[in-house]
Amino acid sequence: MSALEEIPMEKNDFLLYNEIIYHIHTCQDMDDLKRSILAQVKLMIPYTYASLIVVEIDPETREIRHSDPFCLPDSFTALEEAWIDRDHQDESFWVSHAPESIVVRSSDLTGEARLESPIFQELYQQYNIYDTMSMNLAYDHQVMALLTLYRTRADGVFTDQEAFYLRALAGHVNYAYYTMAQREASKPPKTRTMEELVQDYELTRRETEILGLVFQDLNNEEILDRLHISRHTLLKHLQNLYRKCGVSSRWDLLKLRP
């Protein structure tokens, strides 16, 4: 039995735990489930930011691809998309390879040295992030997503008790996510032409141009090189696209691809 498994759960926490499980298993669609997971986890484990990122593994090369960040608050999505562009630089990247759910805290991996890493310095520092706790979602030895919670320095590091709580929720979160993914995959796809997308969402010329490049699987850096615009301008156009198209991430935009 591991150290995390030996930590007892208080009666009130156990009641809350059961309430969280109920909400997770009664969601109506994938977006509802993602939002519920992040919101319900926060009831037991306070955090400043959180994300749920889709994980796909190439069956032949075993190469990992992260995509479709779903974040609370929504404004955190831009940072997670930047992280996806350079995910191999993160010391916890290996978590996405694990065939079963594990919980990892960045403060355990490298201690205070984590604050000097490129990821912390160039991405997390602007949000005053001090510690992270991640758990991969896996079912039947298949990795599906990566859940990450973030805290600022004022809130301190994640505790052993909180790591235990997250691990205790893993089985239910994994099964709910797996069954919802299977249900979503069985739905017939709905596609529209580019012209219909432009008309339906009232896109500007520049928004249409950027959407076309996103549909070509270009990342932010490649789009910047192609259009010769500033990063701020690109992020502003992407936010407008998300708003007009009623989506919350780049991956959702790709689902609209003709």
Side-chain angles (χ1 to χ4, degrees), residues 4-15:
L4 291 182
E5 292 172 333
E6 294 172 356
I7 299 175
M9 187 178 291
E10 299 293 336
K11 180 178 180 180
N12 288 342
D13 290 336
F14 184 73
L15 294 175

Side-chain angles (χ1 to χ4, degrees), residues 205-221:
R205 180 188 62 80
R206 181 63 92 181
E207 289 165 355
T208 301
E209 190 174 17
I210 291 174
L211 182 60
L213 296 176
V214 170
F215 284 166
Q216 294 177 42
D217 292 321
L218 271 65
N219 61 33
N220 285 357
E221 296 300 326

